[in-house]
Amino acid sequence: MERSLVLIKPDAMQRGLAGTIISRLENLGLKLVAMKLLHPDKALAQRHYAIHKDKPFYDSLVNYISSAPLIVCVFEGKGAVEAIRKAMGATDPAKAEAGTIRGDFGLDIERNTIHGSDSAATAEEEIKLFFSPDEMFSY
Ligand code: IDP
Ligand code: MG
């Protein structure tokens, strides 16, 4: 079974969109196996986005992600990574198709409402940053 780490980003939390977004992911037929409300500090945000540390938007991204409590969750299911990426839409909401989460709710390329892992291997690394094994459920 494949897993994906999802973050409901600050812009979505602040606009009360968490339930709507999580509902869309549940409707894909994926199972929620971990979930918490967490306000990441800068160190955690830096680790989560370490792959982007040389990008011009890195500092702004880290500040943004650590600016509010997030809902952090893990969805599990066959093809979970790709199913979630498809439901999310393109990184830039202006380019994301209507009907995708970012296309419908994203504000701009930074404040794009949701993070979803980009591969099964990345997901396992990301999950370790946010959850201990006893916070993951099987049912
Ligand atoms: P992804 O979230 O679709 O995987 P990435 O390229 O991995 O996109 O970028 C991670 C996050 O960094 C994006 O979701 C977005 O919040 C932010 N980001 C990406 N590109 C830019 C940019 O050009 N300017 C500002 N923020 C960006
Ligand atoms: Mg990415």
Side-chain angles (χ1 to χ4, degrees):
M1 269 302 169
E2 195 168 271
R3 303 193 293 190
S4 177
L5 180 87
V6 168
L7 306 178
I8 308 299
K9 291 180 172 181
D11 68 279
M13 295 300 294
Q14 286 161 340
R15 288 181 291 150
L17 293 169
T20 300
I21 293 169
I22 289 163
S23 178
R24 287 197 183 191
L25 301 180
E26 286 183 307
N27 287 342
L28 298 174
L30 300 173
K31 190 188 285 182
L32 255 180
V33 295
M35 187 175 209
K36 67 171 86 167
L37 189 64
L38 172 88
H39 193 146
D41 60 15
K42 280 200 184 180
L44 179 55
Q46 283 167 343
R47 289 181 71 192
H48 175 67
Y49 280 124
I51 194 167
H52 296 301
K53 68 177 183 310
D54 296 325
K55 307 264 173 66
F57 58 81
Y58 179 69
D59 287 344
S60 174
L61 177 60
V62 165
N63 282 331
Y64 161 64
I65 281 295
S66 57
S67 70
L70 315 177
I71 288 181
V72 188
C73 48
V74 179
F75 279 93
E76 182 181 273
K78 199 169 166 225
V81 165
E82 198 187 328
I84 291 173
R85 294 290 296 193
K86 205 170 157 196
M88 285 163 53
T91 304
D92 184 353
K95 295 180 183 152
E97 282 184 43
T100 64
I101 293 166
R102 287 165 165 175
D104 291 350
F105 305 119
L107 296 175
D108 55 44
I109 194 165
E110 179 177 80
R111 297 175 299 164
N112 58 5
T113 75
I114 181 171
H115 166 84
S117 305
D118 64 8
S119 74
T122 309
E124 294 307 314
E125 292 308 309
E126 292 177 346
I127 289 166
K128 277 188 232 157
L129 281 182
F130 289 94
F131 293 100
S132 57
D134 67 331
E135 293 174 313
M136 309 282 306
F137 294 88
S138 180
Y139 62 99

mmCIF file of all heavy atoms in Angstrom, residues 61-79:
data_model
loop_
_atom_site.group_PDB
_atom_site.id
_atom_site.type_symbol
_atom_site.label_atom_id
_atom_site.label_comp_id
_atom_site.label_asym_id
_atom_site.label_seq_id
_atom_site.Cartn_x
_atom_site.Cartn_y
_atom_site.Cartn_z
ATOM 1 N N LEU A 61 9.106 30.641 1.333
ATOM 2 C CA LEU A 61 8.325 29.413 1.499
ATOM 3 C C LEU A 61 8.397 28.897 2.938
ATOM 4 O O LEU A 61 7.382 28.514 3.526
ATOM 5 C CB LEU A 61 8.858 28.355 0.514
ATOM 6 C CG LEU A 61 8.239 26.963 0.570
ATOM 7 C CD1 LEU A 61 6.743 26.999 0.284
ATOM 8 C CD2 LEU A 61 8.945 26.033 -0.427
ATOM 9 N N VAL A 62 9.591 28.919 3.510
ATOM 10 C CA VAL A 62 9.772 28.453 4.888
ATOM 11 C C VAL A 62 8.995 29.356 5.858
ATOM 12 O O VAL A 62 8.310 28.867 6.770
ATOM 13 C CB VAL A 62 11.279 28.396 5.241
ATOM 14 C CG1 VAL A 62 11.489 28.284 6.740
ATOM 15 C CG2 VAL A 62 11.942 27.238 4.503
ATOM 16 N N ASN A 63 9.072 30.664 5.648
ATOM 17 C CA ASN A 63 8.301 31.602 6.497
ATOM 18 C C ASN A 63 6.814 31.352 6.382
ATOM 19 O O ASN A 63 6.086 31.353 7.382
ATOM 20 C CB ASN A 63 8.599 33.057 6.100
ATOM 21 C CG ASN A 63 9.936 33.511 6.650
ATOM 22 O OD1 ASN A 63 10.388 33.044 7.685
ATOM 23 N ND2 ASN A 63 10.574 34.426 5.943
ATOM 24 N N TYR A 64 6.367 31.154 5.161
ATOM 25 C CA TYR A 64 4.940 30.911 4.909
ATOM 26 C C TYR A 64 4.463 29.629 5.596
ATOM 27 O O TYR A 64 3.477 29.635 6.334
ATOM 28 C CB TYR A 64 4.712 30.856 3.394
ATOM 29 C CG TYR A 64 3.443 30.202 2.963
ATOM 30 C CD1 TYR A 64 2.207 30.752 3.308
ATOM 31 C CD2 TYR A 64 3.454 29.024 2.218
ATOM 32 C CE1 TYR A 64 1.027 30.129 2.914
ATOM 33 C CE2 TYR A 64 2.294 28.409 1.827
ATOM 34 C CZ TYR A 64 1.082 28.958 2.178
ATOM 35 O OH TYR A 64 -0.076 28.336 1.808
ATOM 36 N N ILE A 65 5.180 28.540 5.394
ATOM 37 C CA ILE A 65 4.739 27.247 5.927
ATOM 38 C C ILE A 65 4.748 27.238 7.458
ATOM 39 O O ILE A 65 3.955 26.543 8.091
ATOM 40 C CB ILE A 65 5.611 26.103 5.341
ATOM 41 C CG1 ILE A 65 5.145 25.764 3.926
ATOM 42 C CG2 ILE A 65 5.619 24.849 6.208
ATOM 43 C CD1 ILE A 65 3.730 25.190 3.806
ATOM 44 N N SER A 66 5.633 28.047 8.061
ATOM 45 C CA SER A 66 5.692 28.081 9.525
ATOM 46 C C SER A 66 4.854 29.227 10.106
ATOM 47 O O SER A 66 4.989 29.563 11.268
ATOM 48 C CB SER A 66 7.148 28.167 9.991
ATOM 49 O OG SER A 66 7.773 29.303 9.437
ATOM 50 N N SER A 67 3.949 29.798 9.303
ATOM 51 C CA SER A 67 3.172 30.973 9.746
ATOM 52 C C SER A 67 1.845 30.635 10.413
ATOM 53 O O SER A 67 1.165 31.535 10.908
ATOM 54 C CB SER A 67 2.922 31.909 8.558
ATOM 55 O OG SER A 67 2.010 31.324 7.646
ATOM 56 N N ALA A 68 1.441 29.374 10.432
ATOM 57 C CA ALA A 68 0.138 29.002 11.014
ATOM 58 C C ALA A 68 0.142 27.510 11.330
ATOM 59 O O ALA A 68 0.953 26.762 10.778
ATOM 60 C CB ALA A 68 -0.990 29.316 10.024
ATOM 61 N N PRO A 69 -0.774 27.078 12.192
ATOM 62 C CA PRO A 69 -0.928 25.630 12.389
ATOM 63 C C PRO A 69 -1.443 24.987 11.102
ATOM 64 O O PRO A 69 -2.266 25.584 10.397
ATOM 65 C CB PRO A 69 -1.992 25.512 13.494
ATOM 66 C CG PRO A 69 -2.167 26.875 14.040
ATOM 67 C CD PRO A 69 -1.734 27.849 12.998
ATOM 68 N N LEU A 70 -0.937 23.801 10.824
ATOM 69 C CA LEU A 70 -1.323 23.059 9.619
ATOM 70 C C LEU A 70 -2.032 21.786 10.028
ATOM 71 O O LEU A 70 -1.741 21.230 11.086
ATOM 72 C CB LEU A 70 -0.080 22.637 8.820
ATOM 73 C CG LEU A 70 1.027 23.661 8.607
ATOM 74 C CD1 LEU A 70 2.188 22.998 7.862
ATOM 75 C CD2 LEU A 70 0.480 24.847 7.841
ATOM 76 N N ILE A 71 -2.897 21.273 9.190
ATOM 77 C CA ILE A 71 -3.304 19.884 9.346
ATOM 78 C C ILE A 71 -2.332 19.062 8.527
ATOM 79 O O ILE A 71 -2.098 19.337 7.340
ATOM 80 C CB ILE A 71 -4.762 19.645 8.931
ATOM 81 C CG1 ILE A 71 -5.672 20.265 9.994
ATOM 82 C CG2 ILE A 71 -5.039 18.149 8.779
ATOM 83 C CD1 ILE A 71 -7.145 20.102 9.746
ATOM 84 N N VAL A 72 -1.717 18.108 9.214
ATOM 85 C CA VAL A 72 -0.739 17.215 8.598
ATOM 86 C C VAL A 72 -1.366 15.834 8.595
ATOM 87 O O VAL A 72 -1.830 15.365 9.644
ATOM 88 C CB VAL A 72 0.563 17.174 9.432
ATOM 89 C CG1 VAL A 72 1.644 16.411 8.694
ATOM 90 C CG2 VAL A 72 1.034 18.570 9.771
ATOM 91 N N CYS A 73 -1.426 15.185 7.446
ATOM 92 C CA CYS A 73 -2.027 13.855 7.442
ATOM 93 C C CYS A 73 -1.352 12.926 6.455
ATOM 94 O O CYS A 73 -0.617 13.356 5.563
ATOM 95 C CB CYS A 73 -3.536 13.934 7.223
ATOM 96 S SG CYS A 73 -4.072 14.963 5.895
ATOM 97 N N VAL A 74 -1.600 11.653 6.667
ATOM 98 C CA VAL A 74 -1.084 10.621 5.770
ATOM 99 C C VAL A 74 -2.268 9.870 5.195
ATOM 100 O O VAL A 74 -3.126 9.381 5.948
ATOM 101 C CB VAL A 74 -0.149 9.641 6.514
ATOM 102 C CG1 VAL A 74 0.351 8.556 5.555
ATOM 103 C CG2 VAL A 74 1.028 10.377 7.143
ATOM 104 N N PHE A 75 -2.323 9.809 3.874
ATOM 105 C CA PHE A 75 -3.336 9.015 3.185
ATOM 106 C C PHE A 75 -2.666 7.776 2.610
ATOM 107 O O PHE A 75 -1.533 7.838 2.117
ATOM 108 C CB PHE A 75 -3.984 9.818 2.055
ATOM 109 C CG PHE A 75 -5.068 10.752 2.524
ATOM 110 C CD1 PHE A 75 -4.784 12.068 2.825
ATOM 111 C CD2 PHE A 75 -6.373 10.295 2.671
ATOM 112 C CE1 PHE A 75 -5.789 12.932 3.255
ATOM 113 C CE2 PHE A 75 -7.381 11.147 3.104
ATOM 114 C CZ PHE A 75 -7.098 12.463 3.397
ATOM 115 N N GLU A 76 -3.398 6.684 2.652
ATOM 116 C CA GLU A 76 -2.866 5.406 2.173
ATOM 117 C C GLU A 76 -3.827 4.794 1.160
ATOM 118 O O GLU A 76 -5.048 4.902 1.330
ATOM 119 C CB GLU A 76 -2.722 4.471 3.378
ATOM 120 C CG GLU A 76 -2.126 3.121 3.056
ATOM 121 C CD GLU A 76 -2.064 2.270 4.320
ATOM 122 O OE1 GLU A 76 -1.067 2.369 5.045
ATOM 123 O OE2 GLU A 76 -3.043 1.531 4.575
ATOM 124 N N GLY A 77 -3.263 4.173 0.156
ATOM 125 C CA GLY A 77 -4.091 3.466 -0.826
ATOM 126 C C GLY A 77 -3.287 3.174 -2.068
ATOM 127 O O GLY A 77 -2.174 3.680 -2.239
ATOM 128 N N LYS A 78 -3.864 2.369 -2.948
ATOM 129 C CA LYS A 78 -3.189 2.025 -4.195
ATOM 130 C C LYS A 78 -3.013 3.301 -5.026
ATOM 131 O O LYS A 78 -3.977 4.039 -5.251
ATOM 132 C CB LYS A 78 -4.056 1.009 -4.944
ATOM 133 C CG LYS A 78 -3.320 0.249 -5.980
ATOM 134 C CD LYS A 78 -4.137 -0.934 -6.506
ATOM 135 C CE LYS A 78 -3.479 -1.437 -7.786
ATOM 136 N NZ LYS A 78 -4.415 -1.692 -8.864
ATOM 137 N N GLY A 79 -1.792 3.572 -5.457
ATOM 138 C CA GLY A 79 -1.540 4.758 -6.278
ATOM 139 C C GLY A 79 -1.840 6.071 -5.577
ATOM 140 O O GLY A 79 -2.157 7.076 -6.223
#
